[in-house]
Amino acid sequence: MDRVAAQFPEAVAERYVDRAGGAWAVIHAEWLPKVATFLKMDPELDFKLFGSADAVDRLHLAESDPRFEVVYFLYSLKRKEHVRLKVRVTETRPELPSLTPLYRGANWWERLVFDFYGIRFVDHPDLRRILLYDEFQGHPLRKDYALRDRQPLIPERPIKDIFRGPGTSGVA
């Protein structure tokens, strides 16, 4: 993270070490693509493996503004090191630049964050729900999601019998 802070001093909002000894950097949203590109393309750093991405809803924390954090985990096989990035996102404009053009492995993780938290990824090639159905209302991992609300009923969709094959399920 020292190299990132030296290369992009205005990109890093905060740095800290967690209880497990992992180093974290909080990056300003507009700098995310440049920082990620630098981490991947710099031959000394070589963070080419996209581990995962997730989000945190900070609604009930004492310091809850901005409301969301999107966390990224990258790994360098060459250095055998992880890098952990956080990007804070406001509730009024929950969107970030997509890392899918840089890391193909970010595709489904960004869709998961969109599906469960409602954070949009600008320039994502296929941003749609990944686990919930299209008519699902809301984002279930947001802390203000009403647990007792009912979702709209939708007709059952026809699917192919993927287990037995054609002609064995009574359908010609």
Side-chain angles (χ1 to χ4, degrees), residues 97-149:
S98 175
L99 291 186
T100 301
L102 181 63
Y103 290 102
R104 291 181 67 191
N107 186 344
W108 285 17
W109 291 104
E110 289 178 352
R111 287 180 59 191
L112 181 109
V113 170
F114 168 71
D115 198 1
F116 286 104
Y117 292 94
I119 298 169
R120 291 180 300 280
F121 292 89
V122 179
D123 295 329
H124 189 282
D126 186 21
L127 192 60
R128 59 190 164 99
R129 290 195 181 266
I130 191 166
L131 292 174
L132 299 172
Y133 53 96
D134 293 333
E135 294 85 4
F136 191 93
Q137 295 174 356
H139 304 283
L141 290 184
R142 285 188 174 198
K143 299 252 166 96
D144 57 359
Y145 178 77
L147 294 176
R148 299 207 185 275
D149 278 359

Side-chain angles (χ1 to χ4, degrees), residues 57-161:
D57 185 350
R58 304 163 26 118
L59 181 65
H60 299 303
L61 296 178
E63 296 177 26
S64 63
D65 189 40
R67 179 173 172 179
F68 300 104
E69 288 179 336
V70 177
V71 293
Y72 296 95
F73 298 91
L74 308 175
Y75 187 72
S76 173
L77 294 167
K78 179 179 179 181
R79 299 170 61 96
K80 296 181 176 50
E81 288 181 10
H82 291 272
V83 69
R84 299 159 190 89
L85 303 176
K86 283 186 181 182
V87 182
R88 295 193 173 131
V89 182
T90 63
E91 182 177 11
T92 56
R93 191 166 175 245
E95 63 182 32
L96 283 175
S98 175
L99 291 186
T100 301
L102 181 63
Y103 290 102
R104 291 181 67 191
N107 186 344
W108 285 17
W109 291 104
E110 289 178 352
R111 287 180 59 191
L112 181 109
V113 170
F114 168 71
D115 198 1
F116 286 104
Y117 292 94
I119 298 169
R120 291 180 300 280
F121 292 89
V122 179
D123 295 329
H124 189 282
D126 186 21
L127 192 60
R128 59 190 164 99
R129 290 195 181 266
I130 191 166
L131 292 174
L132 299 172
Y133 53 96
D134 293 333
E135 294 85 4
F136 191 93
Q137 295 174 356
H139 304 283
L141 290 184
R142 285 188 174 198
K143 299 252 166 96
D144 57 359
Y145 178 77
L147 294 176
R148 299 207 185 275
D149 278 359
R150 305 266 308 168
Q151 289 294 325
L153 294 175
I154 60 168
E156 186 176 334
R157 296 186 176 105
I159 60 169
K160 290 188 258 182
D161 188 344

Side-chain angles (χ1 to χ4, degrees), residues 1 4 12-16 23-27 83-87:
M1 291 316 303
V4 171
V12 180
E14 178 185 340
R15 290 174 59 185
Y16 65 93
W24 288 81
V26 179
I27 305 295
V83 69
R84 299 159 190 89
L85 303 176
K86 283 186 181 182
V87 182

